[in-house]
């Protein structure tokens, strides 16, 4: 068996409606890869969906502790030199996505992470026109699914398990502070599903997490002065 070039990490809780499509979008990737799915305490049919795809994923079920903790556990199981995260309701843009981003890191050994673009599509409740904004044109932004990074960087930096929103922004900020270098491309790499139950919608009361990330970054800079 060919060793995986990329580890795809997915955290899921009660994602039975979307997980199967997400798994299939990863399974079709042209490059050798592994898909580590950590179930963060689902109470719906998520385990059944995972079982139906047992041949294409590594599935681990654990007590609920939040997405950053689940993804941290997935990272500890990852074996490939490159890592990307795909939410349990999102999709790869096409079958060459992993290959293209891995080629960027291959060609630029000094680069620690590469960022592509995404676009959104409506699904479920979001199909009710005008209920939520859906960005159908390619967008740039540090969303989890848009970034591929070196595994050793992620193991050094880690994910802050205290945060619900903003934990990935915090990861990128701390990576930059540690000297990580990044490359931004205009490559479309993933499709973000907007369905009304997205974490950024249902956990909108946790917007203060972003302020906490900013305050922590400022405090670290002051300590260095």
């Amino acid at each position: 068996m060919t060793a995986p070039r990329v580890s795809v990490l997915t955290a899921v809780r009660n994602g039975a409606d979307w997980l199967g499509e997400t798994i299939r979008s990863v399974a079709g990737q042209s490059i050798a890869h592994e898909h580590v799915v950590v179930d963060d305490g689902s109470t719906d049919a998520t385990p059944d969906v995972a079982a139906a795809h047992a041949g294409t994923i590594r599935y681990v079920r654990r007590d609920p502790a939040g997405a950053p903790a689940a993804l941290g556990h997935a990272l500890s199981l990852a074996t490939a030199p490159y890592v990307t995260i795909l939410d349990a309701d999102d999709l790869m843009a096409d079958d060459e996505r992993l290959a293209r981003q891995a080629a960027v890191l291959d060609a630029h050994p000094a680069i620690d992470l590469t960022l592509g673009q995404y676009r959104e599509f409506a699904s479920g409740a979001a199909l009710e026109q005008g209920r939520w904004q859906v960005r159908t044109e390619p967008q740039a932004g540090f969303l989890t699914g848009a970034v591929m990074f070196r595994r050793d960087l992620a193991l050094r930096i880690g994910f802050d398990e205290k945060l619900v929103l903003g934990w990935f922004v915090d990861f990128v900020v701390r990576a930059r502070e540690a000297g990580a270098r990044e490359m931004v491309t205009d490559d479309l790499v993933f499709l973000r599903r907007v369905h009304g139950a997205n974490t950024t919608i249902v956990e909108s009361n946790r917007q203060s997490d972003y302020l906490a990330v900013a305050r922590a970054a400022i405090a670290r800079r002051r300590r260095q002065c």
Side-chain angles (χ1 to χ4, degrees), residues 42-59:
S42 293
T43 57
D44 66 354
T46 292
D48 297 330
V49 175
H53 297 84
T56 58
I57 65 172
R58 180 175 183 181
Y59 174 72

Side-chain angles (χ1 to χ4, degrees), residues 10-20 23 37-54 57 59-62 88-89:
T10 296
V12 59
R13 181 186 294 178
N14 296 336
D17 289 345
W18 323 117
L19 180 61
I23 291 172
V37 178
V38 174
D39 186 337
D40 190 45
S42 293
T43 57
D44 66 354
T46 292
D48 297 330
V49 175
H53 297 84
I57 65 172
Y59 174 72
V60 178
R61 183 172 170 82
R62 52 181 274 157
D89 48 5

